[in-house]
């Protein structure tokens, strides 16, 4: 089924000039970029993005890292886009991610794992609503 999903190239990967390599891997896996923008995410926006992690000990460090530099937001479309993107990203923990995946090749560790990918269609909808408000159908 054709779906839309969200990817975020994180500050570690932007700083290491990996945007092109990551975008290449994504485009080679039959996903189409329908919008792209580089932004700084505020702590308010990150609180909302990561609200499912409230109470987890890593949340403050994750928010500090994600607000430490620019990120690249990717709006992506394709067959089974949510699953497809997550599979290209690899395991959340770069130490467990397979070679060839984005996190396996470019992740440093946690939370510096190079990319975020929505974990379900519901999450994608919520995250796109938050980060690409200009794409809402009114
Ligand atoms: P992401 O796909 O953005 O979703 C939540 C993020 O939390 C995850 O990628 C990691 O960057 C971060 N994360 C998850 N588990 C841990 C952990 N144990 N320690 C630090 N950061 C983590």
């Amino acid at each position: 089924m054709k779906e839309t999903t969200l990817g975020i190239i994180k500050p570690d990967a932007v700083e290491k000039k990996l945007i092109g390599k990551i975008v290449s891997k994504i485009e080679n896996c039959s996903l189409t970029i329908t919008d792209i923008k580089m932004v700084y995410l505020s702590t308010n926006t990150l609180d909302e993005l990561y609200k499912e992690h409230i109470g987890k000990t890593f949340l403050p460090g994750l928010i500090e890292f994600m607000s430490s530099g620019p990120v690249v937001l990717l709006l992506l479309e394709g067959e089974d886009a949510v699953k497809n993107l997550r599979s290209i990203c690899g395991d959340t923990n770069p130490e467990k991610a397979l070679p060839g995946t984005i996190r396996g090749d470019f992740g440093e560790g946690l939370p510096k794992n190079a990319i975020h990918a929505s974990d379900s269609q519901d999450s994608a909808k919520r995250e796109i609503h938050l980060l690409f408000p200009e794409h809402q159908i009114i």
Side-chain angles (χ1 to χ4, degrees), residues 6-7 11 23 35-36 39 45-46 80 82 94 98 101-102 124 136 138:
L6 177 92
V23 164
D35 203 351
I36 182 167
V39 298
T45 299
L46 288 162
D80 290 322
V82 170
L98 295 176
T101 64
I102 294 169
Q136 302 319 302
I138 53 167

Side-chain angles (χ1 to χ4, degrees), residues 37-51:
K37 59 186 176 185
M38 183 180 268
V39 298
Y40 284 80
L41 295 175
S42 69
T43 51
N44 279 350
T45 299
L46 288 162
D47 283 343
E48 181 60 30
L49 179 69
Y50 287 127
K51 69 180 179 189

Side-chain angles (χ1 to χ4, degrees), residues 4-43:
T4 300
T5 192
L6 177 92
I8 306 175
I9 303 178
K10 296 188 178 184
D12 57 320
V14 172
E15 191 181 0
K16 288 190 271 181
K17 302 191 189 297
L18 292 170
I19 297 169
K21 286 184 177 158
I22 291 175
V23 164
S24 229
K25 277 189 191 281
I26 290 171
E27 289 189 321
N28 284 338
C29 287
S30 308
L31 285 164
T32 300
I33 297 172
T34 57
D35 203 351
I36 182 167
K37 59 186 176 185
M38 183 180 268
V39 298
Y40 284 80
L41 295 175
S42 69
T43 51

Side-chain angles (χ1 to χ4, degrees), residues 8 10 49-50 53 57-59 61-62 65-66 86 92 103 109-118:
I8 306 175
K10 296 188 178 184
L49 179 69
Y50 287 127
H53 297 300
T57 50
F58 64 76
L59 184 60
L62 173 63
F65 158 60
M66 289 295 289
R86 285 182 69 81
T92 303
R103 290 170 178 151
L110 288 172
K112 296 185 175 179
N113 61 354
I115 189 162
H116 166 84
S118 305

